[in-house]
């Protein structure tokens, strides 16, 4: 019987220097090294670092083969520097000053004292496929005026959403198409608890069900992004009231938690959990 022989290669190390158009070093630039469209285990993150005062950097643990370095600093346009490497490599990356693609986000309805707690999540795709991007740029927060701006981005599809424990946002998320230099986005916040979902839980024969815990979800519920689920327990008459994570005209679904019962609810194409017939 023939055997299979697998050869393990060391990941490569890329060293280099980031300079501007005049050849001067660019300090404190973000540098990420990766191999695009190669899906690793979810625990793998592409290595990233920042340049020192001389513009130098060193990245280890980059998968070998066709690689790309994404280099960015405020007031410069991100450079996507491609190379092919199966061993240690040294490169020079040149950044040009400019605005590149710019995203402006404004959130309406957020209390000033809570604005900085609202997270901005954005990620790029090309042809619908995501690729590795610096964590510092993918994860931000609104300022005290509920605004957020990021410039110097490459031209691709940008996906943007706002996340907060205290609010639901409309729209839930936005996908921006390439070919536009400046994107202006406005989100409208609805405080959780401002919209309530009330009802009665009964058996198919009409008897009220007491002590049952219900959870409400939408397609982009905070509970689906690691936030605290919103639940309610029915009283003796089967009645419940939920501070629902809803926005106007948005489909939702209810879920029973740790129950011997299942809910009769028809789930359409836009409902959360639509693939679960229960």
């Amino acid at each position: 019987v023939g055997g299979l022989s697998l050869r393990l290669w060391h990941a490569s190390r890329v060293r280099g220097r980031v300079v501007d158009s005049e050849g001067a070093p660019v300090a404190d630039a973000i540098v990420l090294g990766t191999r695009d469209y190669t899906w690793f285990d979810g625990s793998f993150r592409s290595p990233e670092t920042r340049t020192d005062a001389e513009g130098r950097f060193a990245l280890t643990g980059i998968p070998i083969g066709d690689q790309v370095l994404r280099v960015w600093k405020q007031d410069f346009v991100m450079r996507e520097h491609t190379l092919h490497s199966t061993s240690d490599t040294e490169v020079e990356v040149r950044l040009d000053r400019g605005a590149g693609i710019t995203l402006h986000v404004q959130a309406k309805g957020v209390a000033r004292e809570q604005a900085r707690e609202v997270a901005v999540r954005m990620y790029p795709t090309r042809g619908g496929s995501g690729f590795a991007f610096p964590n510092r740029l993918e994860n931000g927060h609104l300022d005290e005026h509920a605004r957020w701006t990021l410039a110097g981005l490459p031209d691709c599809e940008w996906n943007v959403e706002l996340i907060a424990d205290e609010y639901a946002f409309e729209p839930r998320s936005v996908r921006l198409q390439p070919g536009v230099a400046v994107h202006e986005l406005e989100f409208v916040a609805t405080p959780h608890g401002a919209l309530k979902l009330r009802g009665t839980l009964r058996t198919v024969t009409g008897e009220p069900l007491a002590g049952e815990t219900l959870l409400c979800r939408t397609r982009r519920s905070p509970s689906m992004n690691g936030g605290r689920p919103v639940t309610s327990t029915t009283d003796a008459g089967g009645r419940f009231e939920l501070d629902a994570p809803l926005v106007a005209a948005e489909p939702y679904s209810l879920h029973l938690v740790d129950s011997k019962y299942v809910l009769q609810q028809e789930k359409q194409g836009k409902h959360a959990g639509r693939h679960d017939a229960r």
Side-chain angles (χ1 to χ4, degrees):
V1 179
L4 178 65
S5 178
L6 299 177
R7 180 179 181 183
L8 295 180
W9 289 70
H10 289 287
S12 68
R13 174 184 301 167
V14 177
R15 301 176 183 273
R17 189 164 178 258
V18 178
V19 298
D20 65 16
S21 58
E22 304 299 321
V26 178
D28 202 37
I30 297 173
V31 184
L32 175 141
T34 190
R35 180 174 178 175
D36 279 343
Y37 312 118
T38 303
W39 313 120
F40 297 99
D41 178 80
S43 61
F44 174 81
R45 284 201 64 87
S46 300
E48 61 182 271
T49 188
R50 289 178 181 266
T51 56
D52 64 16
E54 298 299 317
R56 298 194 177 277
F57 68 90
L59 290 171
T60 59
I62 305 176
I64 62 173
D66 294 325
Q67 301 171 339
V68 60
L69 302 180
R70 293 194 167 91
V71 185
W72 177 91
K73 186 179 180 180
Q74 188 73 36
D75 300 324
F76 291 87
V77 180
M78 175 176 287
R79 175 74 67 190
E80 296 183 281
H81 181 88
T82 59
L83 64 152
H84 183 89
S85 175
T86 57
S87 61
D88 292 358
T89 305
E90 185 150 352
V91 299
E92 181 176 274
V93 181
R94 190 173 296 265
L95 291 183
D96 295 323
R97 293 187 179 273
I101 303 301
T102 302
L103 306 183
H104 295 291
V105 172
Q106 174 74 63
K108 302 290 187 181
V110 176
R112 187 183 180 96
E113 63 273 14
Q114 295 176 314
R116 291 184 177 274
E117 299 173 14
V118 178
V120 182
R121 298 287 182 264
M122 52 88 71
Y123 62 92
T125 56
R126 287 189 171 116
S129 296
F131 51 88
F133 211 70
N135 183 65
R136 151 72 176 80
L137 303 184
E138 287 188 319
N139 299 279
H141 285 82
L142 300 180
D143 64 15
E144 67 273 19
H145 304 293
R147 292 193 294 261
W148 176 87
T149 295
L150 189 60
L153 300 174
D155 193 19
C156 57
E157 302 156 350
W158 289 101
N159 304 266
V160 185
E161 62 183 34
L162 301 185
I163 302 172
D165 287 339
E166 299 84 4
Y167 296 95
F169 291 93
E170 175 63 28
R172 290 293 190 181
S173 62
V174 177
R175 173 173 288 189
L176 303 169
Q177 296 303 311
V180 179
V182 179
H183 296 276
E184 301 276 355
L185 301 179
E186 182 174 286
F187 293 81
V188 178
T190 299
H192 287 158
L195 296 175
K196 296 185 181 295
L197 182 63
R198 301 182 179 91
T200 303
L201 184 64
R202 301 182 185 274
T203 67
V204 291
T205 55
E207 291 85 7
L209 286 174
E212 295 287 338
T213 299
L214 284 159
L215 181 147
C216 177
R217 277 184 173 157
T218 65
R219 293 183 67 192
R220 305 299 298 181
S221 294
S223 61
M224 302 179 81
N225 287 311
R228 176 179 55 83
V230 178
T231 61
S232 176
T233 301
T234 57
D235 64 15
R239 293 178 293 271
F240 63 88
E241 181 176 279
L242 278 159
D243 292 336
L246 304 176
V247 295
E250 182 178 38
Y252 67 88
S253 60
L254 296 177
H255 301 260
L256 283 171
V257 179
D258 297 327
S259 175
K260 66 179 181 180
Y261 296 95
V262 294
L263 291 175
Q264 288 185 343
Q265 60 177 332
E266 182 180 356
K267 297 175 184 176
Q268 305 295 333
K270 293 184 178 180
H271 286 75
R274 62 190 180 278
H275 301 300
D276 182 353
R278 296 176 300 171

